[in-house]
């Protein structure tokens, strides 16, 4: 992996240091100057063009040298990649997502927005629209009438508001993480207090608590006494903690209890509240989660989750592929695998239900159904057993009609 990282850095650095765009700009500038000169004085045409030759040639040489170097580095990079991944990546597998380019585009687009890469996101978007327009034109030329949905599966208004919301989130997050400025986050939490309250969120208090700690520890040059910073924190608490007294009284007492200990905080029982280095990250994560949940999105980027889960599961899948090749067997079930994928608990979003009758994993098309006796079997098993009329549960003596069964959501 180190070899890949090294080659990647080389390509990246040379892209940053490349003088090729400068050479291109030089050529454009010289051509524009020559054009203006000739337009001004048509008689100067010959001499102007003659003067143009040498500098343009030099710039072109520079461009070609740069391209050659870049090609060389790309080759080395591809070789480093091949060395590790060649023949190891499942190649003849069915690509389950190839039929859903819109889902992939959308996942990438939203990921870019979450990362604050707004211009890249907007380029991706306009290119997706452009490509679709070309496809539509080709279809129209062939006399086909094709009505296509939005390339990212988003309405125009939804997309604009999404972009605006994420730009706001990114601004608040960068103030919080880079500048340790909590004010924009606190203002956002207050604007959305009702929705956050409905979710039982403690975001606003966590932000204000961190603000208190921040003020408490913020000793400034102009301070005359060591109490000055804790006093600013106390003043802040007197104004801002009023509305939190009901729910967070113990936490507030602990924060204020630290004031008399300000000269030897480390030895006080409250030091843990003031010396947690991960606090800023924790608050940033909490803010992101709440912000995304109000947008009805998951806290982690689905693309990141999918890629990480894929990376974790890959060794198991490769092993499976090797065994299948050796034994010349094939697994034909489309919606399930013959092995467990070893994902950590945070990557398990819903339980899997295997029908006790058919021994098949349930799916959206064949969901788990609960009978009135509370036993659960798959819908297909239910249909086979009941044939549309009253039947006896396979696990207890209770009889019921298939209409009485209810779908179970896991
Ligand atoms: Zn039963």
């Amino acid at each position: 992996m180190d070899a890949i990282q090294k080659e990647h850095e080389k390509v990246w650095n040379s892209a940053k240091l490349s003088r090729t765009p400068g050479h291109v700009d030089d050529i454009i500038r010289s051509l524009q100057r020559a054009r203006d000169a000739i337009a001004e004085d048509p008689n100067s045409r010959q001499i102007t063009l003659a003067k143009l030759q040498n500098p343009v040639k030099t710039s072109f040489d520079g461009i070609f040298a740069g391209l050659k170097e870049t090609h060389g580095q790309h080759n080395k990079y591809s070789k480093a990649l091949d060395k590790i991944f060649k023949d190891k990546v499942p190649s003849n597998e069915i690509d389950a997502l190839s039929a859903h380019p819109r889902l992939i585009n959308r996942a990438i687009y939203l990921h870019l927005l979450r990362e604050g890469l707004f211009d890249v996101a907007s380029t991706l978007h306009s290119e997706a629209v452009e490509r679709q327009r070309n496809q539509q034109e080709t279809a129209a030329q062939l006399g086909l009438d094709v009505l296509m949905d939005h390339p990212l599966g988003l309405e125009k208004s939804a997309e604009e508001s999404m972009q605006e919301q994420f730009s706001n989130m990114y601004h608040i997050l960068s103030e919080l993480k880079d500048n340790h400025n909590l004010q924009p986050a606190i203002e956002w939490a207050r604007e959305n207090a009702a929705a956050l309250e409905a979710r039982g969120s403690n975001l606003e208090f966590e932000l204000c608590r961190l603000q208190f700690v921040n003020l408490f520890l913020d000793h400034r040059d102009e301070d005359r006494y060591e109490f000055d910073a804790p006093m600013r924190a106390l003043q802040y608490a007197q104004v801002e903690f009023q509305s939190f007294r009901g729910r967070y009284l113990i936490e507030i007492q602990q924060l204020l209890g630290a004031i008399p200990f300000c000269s030897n905080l480390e030895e006080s029982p409250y030091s843990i509240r003031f010396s947690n280095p991960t606090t800023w990250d924790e608050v940033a994560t909490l803010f992101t989660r709440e912000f995304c949940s109000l947008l009805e999105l998951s806290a982690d980027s689905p693309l990141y989750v999918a890629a990480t889960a894929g990376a974790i599961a890959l060794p198991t899948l490769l092993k499976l592929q090797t065994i299948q090749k050796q034994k010349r067997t094939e697994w034909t079930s489309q919606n399930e695998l013959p092995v467990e994928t070893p994902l950590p608990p945070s990557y398990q979003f819903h339980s899997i239900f295997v029908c006790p009758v058919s021994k098949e994993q349930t799916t959206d098309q064949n969901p788990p159904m609960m009978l009135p006796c509370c036993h659960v079997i798959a819908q297909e098993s239910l249909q086979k057993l009941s044939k549309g009329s009253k039947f006896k549960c396979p696990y207890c003596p209770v009889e019921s009609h298939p209409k009485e069964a209810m779908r179970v959501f896991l």
Side-chain angles (χ1 to χ4, degrees):
M1 222 52 190
D2 285 347
I4 295 184
Q5 186 69 24
K6 216 171 103 193
E7 292 303 331
H8 179 268
E9 267 163 29
K10 272 194 214 161
V11 174
W12 181 248
N13 284 334
S14 85
K16 271 197 299 192
L17 299 172
S18 170
R19 287 167 56 207
T20 309
H23 288 307
V24 175
D25 287 339
D26 286 346
I27 296 177
I28 294 172
R29 262 197 304 273
S30 319
L31 289 174
Q32 281 170 339
R33 266 201 304 272
R35 183 192 60 195
D36 295 345
I38 296 171
E40 206 169 283
D41 177 13
N43 291 331
S44 73
R45 196 181 57 161
Q46 238 164 2
I47 186 147
T48 312
L49 288 179
K51 272 193 203 161
L52 199 59
Q53 272 179 0
N54 276 342
V56 168
K57 188 175 177 301
T58 314
S59 298
F60 266 112
D61 289 346
I63 294 175
F64 290 132
L67 285 179
K68 205 175 155 192
E69 198 190 325
T70 311
H71 275 304
Q73 273 162 351
H74 275 263
N75 277 340
K76 278 189 197 161
Y77 187 29
S78 322
K79 274 183 198 150
L81 283 173
D82 281 349
K83 219 171 168 182
I84 290 198
F85 291 115
K86 208 173 191 179
D87 303 328
K88 290 186 184 166
V89 178
S91 50
N92 52 352
E93 292 287 306
I94 304 157
D95 181 358
L97 283 170
S98 62
H100 304 284
R102 202 185 317 145
L103 284 181
I104 298 172
N105 281 343
R106 185 174 164 169
I108 297 173
Y109 177 73
L110 289 176
H111 181 80
L112 293 170
L113 287 186
R114 282 163 183 263
E115 295 292 307
L117 297 165
F118 302 110
D119 48 348
V120 188
S122 106
T123 306
L124 175 92
H125 176 254
S126 53
E127 286 183 2
V129 172
E130 181 72 17
R131 195 162 47 244
Q132 192 180 52
R133 194 178 300 136
N134 291 341
Q135 284 169 351
Q136 272 167 335
E137 276 169 18
T138 319
Q141 280 165 4
L142 293 169
L144 299 168
D145 189 18
V146 186
L147 246 182
M148 286 194 216
D149 294 333
H150 187 279
L152 303 178
L154 291 165
E155 295 286 328
K156 183 89 190 134
S157 57
E159 175 200 310
E160 276 167 10
S161 107
M162 196 84 89
Q163 193 147 357
E164 200 176 302
Q165 293 277 13
F166 274 114
S167 143
N168 188 22
M169 179 179 105
Y170 193 73
H171 162 73
I172 295 173
L173 268 181
S174 73
E175 280 296 313
L176 202 152
K177 285 202 276 198
D178 303 337
N179 302 332
H180 281 193
N181 174 14
L182 288 151
Q183 210 47 42
I186 292 174
E187 278 163 24
W188 180 87
R190 290 197 175 138
E191 278 163 27
N192 295 282
L196 290 172
E197 181 70 35
R199 275 177 50 77
S201 162
N202 55 353
L203 177 66
E204 189 186 339
F205 178 69
E206 288 302 325
L207 290 166
C208 289
R209 165 155 67 184
L210 187 55
Q211 182 74 299
F212 177 91
V213 171
N214 204 22
L215 287 168
F216 193 101
L217 300 174
D218 177 29
H219 295 286
R220 298 172 192 171
D221 292 341
E222 70 267 20
D223 284 349
R224 293 176 59 196
Y225 305 104
E226 62 176 333
F227 279 112
D228 285 352
M231 279 302 130
R232 281 193 295 270
L234 178 63
Q235 282 164 4
Y236 178 80
Q238 283 168 337
V239 178
E240 304 294 344
F241 284 179
Q242 292 297 338
S243 57
F244 298 125
R245 280 192 309 186
R247 239 169 101 188
Y248 302 101
L249 190 61
I250 293 171
E251 285 88 344
I252 294 173
Q253 282 170 344
Q254 286 179 346
L255 291 173
L256 299 184
I259 293 177
F261 291 93
C262 71
S263 54
N264 63 340
L265 194 61
E266 294 80 37
E267 287 164 36
S268 82
Y270 309 111
S271 67
I272 184 78
R273 294 255 169 244
F274 291 83
S275 61
N276 183 354
T278 59
T279 312
W280 287 95
D281 287 338
E282 282 166 12
V283 164
T285 309
L286 179 65
F287 168 77
T288 312
R289 197 169 67 219
E290 297 299 334
F291 195 102
C292 289
S293 79
L294 294 199
L295 289 177
E296 296 180 342
L297 295 170
S298 60
D300 286 322
S301 151
L303 185 64
Y304 174 79
V305 173
T308 313
I312 297 172
L314 201 55
T316 310
L317 298 178
L318 289 173
K319 203 169 164 188
L320 169 68
Q321 198 189 31
T322 319
I323 292 172
Q324 280 180 343
K325 260 189 203 160
Q326 280 168 356
K327 299 200 167 171
R328 294 171 192 277
T329 52
E330 254 179 67
W331 184 257
T332 46
S333 298
Q334 281 216 328
N335 290 313
E336 55 183 304
L337 285 167
V339 285
E340 286 277 327
T341 7
L343 294 180
S346 59
Y347 278 70
Q348 290 168 10
F349 296 95
H350 59 83
S351 310
I352 290 167
F353 179 73
V354 176
C355 173
V357 177
S358 65
K359 310 284 185 241
E360 275 174 12
Q361 201 172 304
T362 52
T363 61
D364 276 350
Q365 287 72 43
N366 180 25
M369 302 294 287
M370 187 166 71
L371 309 177
C373 58
C374 294
H375 284 115
V376 182
I377 57 175
Q379 193 176 45
E380 283 173 8
S381 306
L382 172 72
Q383 282 159 355
K384 275 184 200 156
L385 286 172
S386 70
K387 300 192 175 76
S389 53
K390 229 175 169 195
F391 75 113
K392 192 174 140 300
C393 166
Y395 291 93
C396 72
V398 176
E399 279 200 5
S400 66
H401 195 274
K403 274 187 191 161
E404 294 169 288
M406 281 197 315
R407 180 170 175 181
V408 178
F409 292 89
L410 296 169

